Amino acid sequence: MQPFRVHTGLVAPLDRANVDTDAIIPKQFLKSIKRSGFGPNLFDAWRYTDRGEPGMDPATRRPNPDFVLNQARYRGASILLARQNFGCGSSREHAPWALADFGFRALIAPSYADIFFNNCFKNGLLPIVLAEREVDRLFADVAVFPGYTLTIDLERQSVATADGSLTYGFEVDPFRKRCLLNGWDDIGLTLQHADEIRTFEARRLHDQPWLA
Amino acid sequence: MSTRTLYDKLWESHIVREEGDGTALIYVDRHLVHEVTSPQAYEGLRLAGRKPWRVGSIVATADHNTPTTHWDEGIRDPISRTQVETLDANIAAFGAKAYFPFRDRRQGIVHVIGPESGATLPGMTVVCGDSHTSTHGAFAALAFGIGTSEVEHVLATQCLLMKKSKSMLIRVDGTLPHGVTAKDLVLSIIGRIGTAGGTGHAIEFAGEAVRALSMESRMTMCNMAIEAGARAGMVAVDDTTIDYLKGRPFAPPADTWQRAVERWRTLASDPGAKFDTTHVFDASTIRPQVTWGTSPEMVVSIEDRVPDPDRERNAERREGIARALEYMGLTPNVPVTDIRIDKVFIGSCTNSRIEDLREAAGVVRGRRVAGSVKLAMVVPGSGLVKAQAEAEGLDRTFRDAGFEWREPGCSMCLAMNDDRLEPGERCASTSNRNFEGRQGAGGRTHLVSPSMAAAAAIAGHFVDVRRLY
Ligand code: SF4
C-alpha cells in the first residue's frame, strides 16, 4: 500500500449528502475481476450524459459539462470535499478503488458510512471527518477561489490552506494512522499473531465442535 | 458479573487479542463467499503465496450475476460469466466446506442459503463481502458485511481487525396488525431513525413483536439493519431459532445437538443490560409502508401522500426531497394509492424465502395481474425455496395470475444480470434499496412487503393490501 504522509492537492467539491456507493461506481462496472481501472467510471451516471457500459472507450463518451469533476478548474483534483454520510450503501470496495484510481488521495466530509470508511483506509485513501461548520466553510472557499488547494498532514492530523490562513485538526484512529503512514499491509501484521489465532481456534473448535 | 448485552457476549467470545487502543483481532467462524467481491481477494492471496486459513469456514455460491431464465444456455454476458467461472476456479483451487455453483439445485442468494443449510448458527461470527450479511444476525450471530480487502484478510488469517461498535436496542412492543409484516415494521423504523440512525451501532431487535416473528421475518428485519446505517442487526435465541435449525444439513448432529442448544440458550441480553442507545416502537401503530424516494428512509404508509418539499423547513432536507421526487417522477401531495407501477419484483435476500412467497401468493390467488403492468416476476431466493414453493403449488398460483416464475438469484435487486428496469420505469419491489439506478439506470424503485407488491401487481397501482384479504 502506498504510504500517506503529507499530501497537497486540488480540492473538488461534491455538494450532495448521502452519496451512495452505487453513485460512486454504478454496478455495471462491478463485474471486473481486477482492482484497478475503475477511475474512468467514477460517478459515471452523473459524469456522462450517455449510459456507461463496461469496455466503453472514455474518449468516445459524452461528458456532462455540469458535473463538477468535468469542470476545467477541478481537473487533477486529489481531495474530494463531500457532505454527510458519504459512501452509504454497499460494502463493495469498488467505491474506494474508483476514487483512488481516479486520483483522489483524501476525502473530507462531516461523516461517512461505516464500511466505506474502513475500506478507504485499506486502500491508502484517507477519509477525514471535519465538523459540519468547517466543511461548510471549505465549500464556500472552494467556490470562491479557483485552484483552491489544501495540505493534509497525517502525522500532525491537520488540514491547512497553502498560506496557513486556515488550519483544522482532525481525529484519526492511531492504528489506522500508523498503517497509513507506513503503508503497512494488514494481513502481514495480523499473521505476526498466527500462534495466538491457532490457540484460540483450537480451543473454540474443541468446546464447540459443531463450528468446524 | 456485570450484565451484558447479546452483542457484548458475541464480541467478547471472539476476541483473539486486544491492542491497547481498543482494536481487537476478532475470530471469524463462517465466511460466505460470492462471485462479485471475491476475485480480487483470491488474486491477492495468490500473489502473496498464501492459502485460506480454514477452508472449513467457507461456504460459497454464485448469485449476483446469474441469469434467472434459460439456465440451459449458461451465462450469456461474457463479463458475468468470467466472474462466475473465476469463482468456480478459485473454489476448485483453494477449497470450501460447501460450494453451490450456478445451476446447482441448492444454489441461491448467499444470505438465503446460509441459514437454510444450517451454515449460519447462533454464537457465530459470520462475514461476507456483502453489506446485507447483517441478515444472519437473526440467529443471534454477529454478522456483518466486509470489503474485498477484508475478505482477503479473513481468507488469509481467519480474523478481522476491528473496534467494537456501540450498542442499540430497538424494542418493539405490542402486536403487528393483520396484514402488516416485518418489512413494514423495519421500513417504518428506518423512516423514524433515518438511514444514518444506526451508524456506529450494532442493533438488537427485541420486544414482544420481534419474539412473535418467524425466523424468515427476523431475517427481513436484520437484513435491513444496514439500511438504518448499522453494520449488524441481531435477535436473541429462543425456541423459534432452535426449531428452525433442527435437522438442517450443517446444524450440529444428534451427538452434539443438546450441548449446542444449551450454549445457544445463553445468547440473549441479560436483564438490565445497558445499551448506548434505545428506541421503542409500538407494533400496533404500524401500517403497510411504501417508499416514495431514493433512500429507504423516504417512506410513508399506504394511507399517506407523497411529501411536499415546501413543507420541509430544513433546506438540505427540502432539497433532498425535491431531488428525490424529481428522480422518481412524482408530484407532491399525491396519495400513495394513486402511484401506478410498470413492474413488480418479488425477490432478493430481504424477501425471497418461502414464507415471503406464501404471503404474496395468498394475495395473488384467484386474481390477475393488471393489464397495465408490463412485468411481474417472482425470483425465489434459492433452489430449495423454489422447489418447496413448487411442491406447494405456489408457482402455479403466480403463473396463473400472470407472474413470471424465475430461477433463483439476486436478479433485479441490483440488476447485474438481464433483469432490470428501463429508464423511467416504476417498480414495486420487495428488495432493500431504492437508490437512484439501483434496479437499472433511470429506474424508479418503491420498496414494499411481498404482500404489498403482490397487491400492487393486481391493482396496477399501490393499494392497501389489508383491503384485499
Ligand atoms: S439480493 Fe440484493 S441485497 Fe441481497 S445479496 Fe443479492 S444483490 Fe445484495
Side-chain angles (χ1 to χ4, degrees):
Chain A
M1 196 171 73
Q2 189 186 357
F4 190 112
R5 297 195 183 102
V6 178
H7 176 76
T8 299
L10 188 66
V11 181
L14 187 65
D15 198 357
R16 287 182 175 225
N18 300 311
V19 170
D20 63 72
T21 49
D22 281 352
I24 297 174
I25 179 84
K27 70 210 149 257
Q28 64 267 36
F29 302 107
L30 309 185
K31 296 183 179 182
S32 164
I33 56 169
K34 298 209 288 291
R35 280 174 196 256
S36 54
F38 295 101
N41 303 108
L42 176 71
F43 300 121
D44 199 278
W46 294 338
R47 207 163 131 202
Y48 303 97
T49 57
D50 54 343
R51 185 184 147 72
E53 287 296 340
M56 284 168 95
D57 176 0
T60 65
R61 302 283 305 274
R62 289 199 305 274
N64 170 7
D66 296 335
F67 184 60
V68 60
L69 295 183
N70 290 330
Q71 294 166 16
R73 60 184 284 195
Y74 299 120
R75 191 146 304 141
S78 60
I79 299 172
L80 186 67
L81 184 61
R83 293 292 186 184
Q84 75 205 38
N85 201 25
F86 187 82
C88 60
S90 94
S91 64
R92 290 180 217 118
E93 212 153 319
H94 305 71
W97 292 339
L99 287 161
D101 195 65
F102 181 87
F104 286 114
R105 298 285 341 262
L107 312 172
I108 299 175
S111 62
Y112 302 86
D114 281 351
I115 306 180
F116 172 81
F117 187 74
N118 272 325
N119 285 340
C120 286
F121 284 102
K122 294 176 194 306
N123 291 282
L125 191 63
L126 175 61
I128 295 173
V129 179
L130 292 184
E132 196 98 47
R133 167 177 57 75
E134 296 167 341
V135 170
D136 283 344
R137 167 74 194 270
L138 293 179
F139 267 103
D141 289 356
V142 169
V144 176
F145 304 112
Y148 188 80
T149 63
L150 286 170
T151 295
I152 295 165
D153 186 331
L154 177 57
E155 180 58 58
R156 293 175 45 206
Q157 298 181 208
S158 66
V159 176
T161 50
D163 58 7
S165 60
L166 190 106
T167 304
Y168 294 133
F170 61 89
E171 294 298 317
V172 58
D173 175 270
F175 176 74
R176 295 275 167 235
K177 177 177 174 179
R178 224 174 339 129
C179 290
L180 264 188
L181 284 172
N182 294 295
W184 279 341
D185 148 31
D186 281 6
I187 295 178
L189 286 175
T190 299
L191 286 174
Q192 292 175 2
H193 308 299
D195 289 345
E196 280 171 83
I197 302 172
R198 251 178 240 120
T199 308
F200 178 95
E201 180 169 67
R203 200 183 55 229
R204 188 163 177 78
L205 297 183
H206 177 265
D207 291 351
Q208 302 180 61
W210 55 87
L211 294 178
Chain B
M1 226 175 66
S2 64
T3 56
R4 296 187 300 162
T5 63
L6 170 58
Y7 176 57
D8 290 335
K9 294 179 187 183
L10 292 170
W11 175 264
E12 285 163 17
S13 62
H14 288 88
I15 298 173
V16 173
R17 59 173 278 123
E18 277 177 291
E19 309 292 339
D21 64 352
T23 309
L25 199 58
I26 292 294
Y27 186 79
V28 172
D29 295 309
R30 177 67 67 227
H31 188 183
L32 303 169
V33 169
H34 67 87
E35 79 276 19
V36 178
T37 51
S38 67
Q40 292 90 346
Y42 279 109
E43 177 196 72
L45 209 61
R46 208 176 267 117
L47 289 174
R50 293 171 177 140
K51 284 204 170 63
W53 179 281
R54 186 162 67 85
V55 168
S57 68
I58 299 170
V59 172
T61 194
D63 55 4
H64 282 62
N65 273 306
T66 53
T68 57
T69 54
H70 303 293
W71 271 16
D72 50 320
E73 292 170 17
I75 304 175
R76 271 175 299 176
D77 172 17
I79 307 173
S80 294
R81 193 169 61 234
T82 305
Q83 271 194 342
V84 172
E85 286 172 354
T86 304
L87 179 61
D88 290 341
N90 283 329
I91 299 294
F94 292 107
K97 178 187 182 79
Y99 181 40
F100 306 124
F102 175 50
R103 291 198 284 216
D104 187 280
R105 70 179 184 87
R106 293 160 303 170
Q107 180 259 1
I109 304 173
V110 66
H111 308 310
V112 175
I113 63 160
E116 83 180 0
S117 66
T120 301
L121 295 174
M124 277 184 164
T125 37
V126 179
V127 303
C128 176
D130 185 282
S131 53
H132 291 96
T133 310
S134 59
T135 311
H136 307 262
F139 292 83
L142 178 55
F144 48 87
I146 55 179
T148 296
S149 292
E150 290 177 313
V151 171
E152 184 182 339
H153 195 278
V154 174
L155 283 172
T157 71
Q158 209 58 42
C159 291
L160 279 173
L161 270 170
M162 27 188 337
K163 279 198 165 167
K164 197 175 174 189
S165 304
K166 287 188 276 187
S167 58
M168 177 180 288
L169 174 67
I170 294 189
R171 200 184 78 214
V172 192
D173 299 332
T175 315
L176 283 175
H178 182 64
V180 179
T181 67
K183 181 67 163 289
D184 302 305
L185 175 57
V186 73
L187 279 173
S188 82
I189 290 172
I190 295 167
R192 282 261 294 280
I193 72 172
T195 49
T199 303
H201 288 81
I203 298 178
E204 178 175 348
F205 295 104
E208 187 190 348
V210 174
R211 294 261 71 87
L213 295 176
S214 66
M215 286 317 292
E216 280 91 345
S217 292
R218 293 177 189 182
M219 284 189 252
T220 302
M221 301 273 303
C222 291
N223 175 275
M224 295 206 60
I226 183 83
E227 307 310 332
R231 215 170 162 185
M234 63 195 80
V235 177
V237 167
D238 60 11
D239 289 343
T240 307
T241 325
I242 290 163
D243 293 346
Y244 178 97
L245 287 168
K246 188 143 203 189
R248 305 258 161 197
F250 297 133
D255 58 332
T256 49
W257 174 257
Q258 262 324 317
R259 250 174 80 202
V261 168
E262 266 163 49
R263 192 177 267 270
W264 295 344
R265 293 273 184 205
T266 65
L267 296 172
S269 291
D270 298 330
K274 292 251 175 319
F275 289 83
D276 294 301
T277 314
T278 300
H279 294 286
V280 179
F281 291 82
D282 176 1
S284 66
T285 62
I286 310 286
R287 289 167 291 175
Q289 304 283 305
V290 181
T291 65
W292 52 265
T294 51
S295 157
E297 72 184 20
M298 295 174 160
V299 65
V300 290
S301 96
I302 187 69
E303 296 168 11
D304 293 326
R305 291 165 182 270
V306 172
D308 185 345
D310 289 342
R311 285 201 210 156
E312 173 61 56
R313 288 214 218 115
N314 176 298
E316 201 176 309
R317 268 207 299 271
R318 182 164 60 236
E319 220 174 283
I321 295 173
R323 185 183 287 146
L325 291 183
E326 190 192 331
Y327 179 84
M328 293 297 289
L330 291 174
T331 321
N333 302 314
V334 166
V336 171
T337 46
D338 283 1
I339 302 174
R340 304 198 65 82
I341 52 160
D342 304 303
K343 288 184 173 170
V344 177
F345 170 61
I346 297 178
S348 91
C349 58
T350 315
N351 284 125
S352 64
R353 298 177 179 83
I354 189 67
E355 184 185 276
D356 302 312
L357 303 191
R358 286 180 193 139
E359 178 191 314
V363 172
V364 162
R365 194 163 290 124
R367 297 188 169 107
R368 292 279 315 163
V369 171
S372 58
V373 171
K374 289 186 223 165
L375 171 71
M377 66 197 284
V378 183
V379 183
S382 72
L384 295 181
V385 169
K386 183 172 185 239
Q388 175 68 30
E390 288 174 354
E392 297 177 18
L394 304 185
D395 58 322
R396 285 293 305 273
T397 303
F398 285 117
R399 283 200 169 112
D400 289 349
F403 277 84
E404 291 194 12
W405 178 250
R406 297 289 188 89
E407 304 289 351
C410 293
S411 179
M412 209 157 74
C413 173
L414 90 167
M416 273 185 87
N417 67 3
D418 288 340
D419 310 333
R420 61 172 71 140
L421 300 180
E422 296 305 322
E425 279 183 345
R426 188 180 297 288
C427 181
S429 177
T430 66
S431 56
N432 43 47
R433 286 196 173 140
N434 51 353
F435 300 156
E436 287 184 21
R438 170 77 177 184
Q439 296 192 292
R444 294 160 173 168
T445 301
H446 296 269
L447 303 177
V448 286
S449 74
S451 56
M452 283 288 285
I458 305 300
H461 54 88
F462 291 110
V463 284
D464 191 336
V465 66
R466 293 173 297 180
R467 302 225 175 121
L468 290 186
Y469 278 125

